Amino acid sequence: MRRSDTIVGKVIRLIGLIGLMGLMGACSSDQVPEPEARIPLEVMPCMTPYEEEYAPTRAWLPPTGFSEIEGTESKSIGIYFTQDTKEPKQGYFVYSTSTEKWYTSVENIQAEPYYLYGYYPHEGGVTCDISSSATPSDNTSYSTGAVLTLRNQPSATPNDMCVVVGAKNGKAYYKENENYSVTGLVPGDFSYEAAAATTGTPPTAHGNYVFLLFDHLYSAVRFQFKVDDTYNSLRHIKLKKLELQAFAGDEQYPLKTEITVTLKKTTDGIDPIESIVYTPTGTADPKEWSSFFTSAEGELVTTSYGTLKDCYFAPRSITKLMLKSTYDIYDTNATNEHPEGNLIRKDSEAENEIDINKLFFPEPVALRSKRYTIRLTIQPTYLYMMSDPDLDNPSLTLD
């Protein structure tokens, strides 16, 4: 159910599964070292869009409900090459800046059928276990599904946490001006088979294009800010940082979460996610916040709503969010030396409590694969009785 766009809170129902993505970027050096792979792989992973449809930038057509993922340059994908009755081959898809191609760190990939499972993006400190059933280390039947357990995941993060829900090998050759689709690339089908390596040193393989479909694991929240018109004529605001805390009732949610995802092979593109269990780990600390937007110079807030980066959070039992905003305040006396005005107040902070139940009724808790849009206005507490403290210490109000 979606409420009117004119209300304060807007719920956006996500469409299907995450769309096809051409990976173009480098992974951070402190996360995963660049591998020496036996077989180079051209990776094309996908994730479901939240609402928008993005025009594809490659000469292939994503499945219905999918679009290419952008902004993956510094991220990597945790991946498992699995086969029935065999120990899974665990590794990553990472980007080589020297060859401008994506490779897998998984060793000894053979020209045999595999079932690919994984998650995106991989972050430092995150670990993952896989089993073909609820029994740990059960490798009997990955052809029918898998259970992934992600540990030490941030409960709130600027990254869109996702899980692989489909995989397929792509075409060996295509022309850039011709569109094509990948046969069999649908949610619920995890099968993949690499092409045999050619002779040479090192051995290479032609046409190993990996196409991956992803689905969201978290809820998303998008904050839109503007400045009160009258106040903007007197002061300018630059937003420097946004931080988030999540609450289940009055209890703060810990900063780390364990996620257990059960996937089952399906046909006809049916959603393969059978269940997702979120388990908070560790203890919550009122002094700890999850940062999802930072700007050293500050982002100028105007009198029209602007969208900053989204934040993603574990939806388990979350009923309330606490937003902390840090911003600088300038006067409007622009000079050549200070074109933005004079800095009046540095690193001001404001905290806003966001009750999901009140804003997004009838949903009592945050739901996976939904984006919640929150609009806030920066203004003095009492504009018509402005004294200097009122003017230079504005509040953030929900619209």
Side-chain angles (χ1 to χ4, degrees), residues 79-135:
I79 199 72
Y80 287 90
F81 284 73
T82 70
Q83 295 176 307
D84 290 348
T85 72
K86 296 182 179 180
E87 189 76 18
K89 299 177 184 292
Q90 180 184 10
Y92 307 92
F93 285 129
V94 295
Y95 186 75
S96 168
T97 55
S98 59
T99 63
E100 297 184 346
K101 293 182 181 294
W102 284 82
Y103 292 85
T104 178
S105 64
V106 181
E107 297 180 350
N108 299 321
I109 299 174
Q110 305 299 318
E112 300 173 351
Y114 292 92
Y115 302 95
L116 269 55
Y117 299 97
Y119 60 96
Y120 164 86
H122 173 76
E123 297 186 83
V126 171
T127 62
C128 182
D129 294 332
I130 190 171
S131 176
S132 65
S133 71
T135 303

Side-chain angles (χ1 to χ4, degrees), residues 59-78:
W60 50 272
L61 300 176
T64 302
F66 287 79
S67 58
E68 290 190 57
I69 303 175
E70 298 179 355
T72 60
E73 291 82 0
S74 60
K75 298 179 176 66
S76 58
I77 299 172

Side-chain angles (χ1 to χ4, degrees), residues 211-284:
F211 289 80
L212 297 174
L213 304 180
F214 289 85
D215 197 0
H216 307 283
L217 290 174
Y218 277 11
S219 303
V221 60
R222 170 172 292 173
F223 294 101
Q224 296 181 316
F225 291 82
K226 75 172 184 178
V227 181
D228 175 88
D229 289 347
T230 305
Y231 182 68
N232 188 65
S233 66
L234 303 169
R235 294 289 186 264
H236 290 165
I237 301 292
K238 284 191 173 182
L239 199 59
K240 299 175 69 176
K241 181 187 287 188
L242 293 175
E243 300 169 279
L244 200 70
Q245 288 179 346
F247 291 79
D250 294 327
E251 184 177 350
Q252 183 183 347
Y253 200 85
L255 294 184
K256 298 295 182 181
T257 298
E258 179 179 297
I259 308 172
T260 301
V261 187
T262 301
L263 300 160
K264 293 296 182 183
K265 176 185 176 180
T266 61
T267 58
D268 299 328
I270 297 174
D271 184 3
I273 297 179
E274 191 172 75
S275 67
I276 303 178
V277 178
Y278 304 90
T279 305
T281 58
T283 57

Side-chain angles (χ1 to χ4, degrees), residues 163-176:
V163 64
V164 171
V165 293
K168 192 61 60 179
N169 195 15
K171 285 193 173 183
Y173 170 79
Y174 66 91
K175 294 181 179 179
E176 288 294 337

Side-chain angles (χ1 to χ4, degrees), residues 7 16 79 98 112 118 148 151 173 293 332 337 345 359 386:
I7 64 174
I79 199 72
S98 59
E112 300 173 351
L148 292 174
R151 295 185 173 86
Y173 170 79
F293 169 81
T332 55
E337 186 177 357
R345 197 173 171 89
L359 289 180
M386 242 185 243

Side-chain angles (χ1 to χ4, degrees), residues 123-383:
E123 297 186 83
V126 171
T127 62
C128 182
D129 294 332
I130 190 171
S131 176
S132 65
S133 71
T135 303
S137 303
D138 175 19
N139 300 324
T140 56
S141 184
Y142 287 108
S143 58
T144 60
V147 177
L148 292 174
T149 302
L150 298 166
R151 295 185 173 86
N152 207 37
Q153 285 279 9
S155 298
T157 172
N159 295 319
D160 190 356
M161 305 305 303
C162 304
V163 64
V164 171
V165 293
K168 192 61 60 179
N169 195 15
K171 285 193 173 183
Y173 170 79
Y174 66 91
K175 294 181 179 179
E176 288 294 337
N177 61 349
E178 292 181 357
N179 292 331
Y180 75 93
S181 58
V182 178
T183 303
L185 180 62
V186 294
D189 188 345
F190 300 89
S191 59
Y192 168 82
E193 184 169 358
T198 59
T199 59
T201 305
T204 60
H206 180 66
N208 281 327
Y209 292 91
V210 180
F211 289 80
L212 297 174
L213 304 180
F214 289 85
D215 197 0
H216 307 283
L217 290 174
Y218 277 11
S219 303
V221 60
R222 170 172 292 173
F223 294 101
Q224 296 181 316
F225 291 82
K226 75 172 184 178
V227 181
D228 175 88
D229 289 347
T230 305
Y231 182 68
N232 188 65
S233 66
L234 303 169
R235 294 289 186 264
H236 290 165
I237 301 292
K238 284 191 173 182
L239 199 59
K240 299 175 69 176
K241 181 187 287 188
L242 293 175
E243 300 169 279
L244 200 70
Q245 288 179 346
F247 291 79
D250 294 327
E251 184 177 350
Q252 183 183 347
Y253 200 85
L255 294 184
K256 298 295 182 181
T257 298
E258 179 179 297
I259 308 172
T260 301
V261 187
T262 301
L263 300 160
K264 293 296 182 183
K265 176 185 176 180
T266 61
T267 58
D268 299 328
I270 297 174
D271 184 3
I273 297 179
E274 191 172 75
S275 67
I276 303 178
V277 178
Y278 304 90
T279 305
T281 58
T283 57
D285 185 342
K287 297 179 181 179
E288 292 186 339
W289 296 75
S290 297
S291 175
F292 64 95
F293 169 81
T294 56
S295 173
E297 296 298 323
E299 184 91 13
L300 181 65
V301 184
T302 68
T303 55
S304 299
Y305 286 114
T307 297
L308 296 165
K309 288 196 66 173
D310 294 352
C311 183
Y312 306 89
F313 60 95
R316 176 188 177 274
S317 303
I318 299 301
T319 60
K320 183 174 64 177
L321 301 174
M322 187 68 73
L323 173 70
K324 181 163 70 172
S325 309
T326 303
Y327 50 91
D328 289 344
I329 304 174
Y330 296 80
D331 66 19
T332 55
N333 299 320
T335 64
N336 290 335
E337 186 177 357
H338 301 285
E340 71 279 6
N342 299 300
L343 179 61
I344 300 299
R345 197 173 171 89
K346 183 177 177 62
D347 293 336
S348 296
E349 292 184 353
E351 294 184 11
N352 286 85
E353 181 180 299
I354 299 162
D355 192 319
I356 294 175
N357 188 28
K358 291 181 180 179
L359 289 180
F360 301 100
F361 181 83
E363 298 162 1
V365 295
L367 301 178
R368 181 182 74 86
S369 293
K370 280 198 175 183
R371 174 186 286 134
Y372 299 85
T373 297
I374 310 292
R375 290 178 170 178
L376 304 103
T377 297
I378 301 174
Q379 60 184 9
T381 306
Y382 298 105
L383 190 61

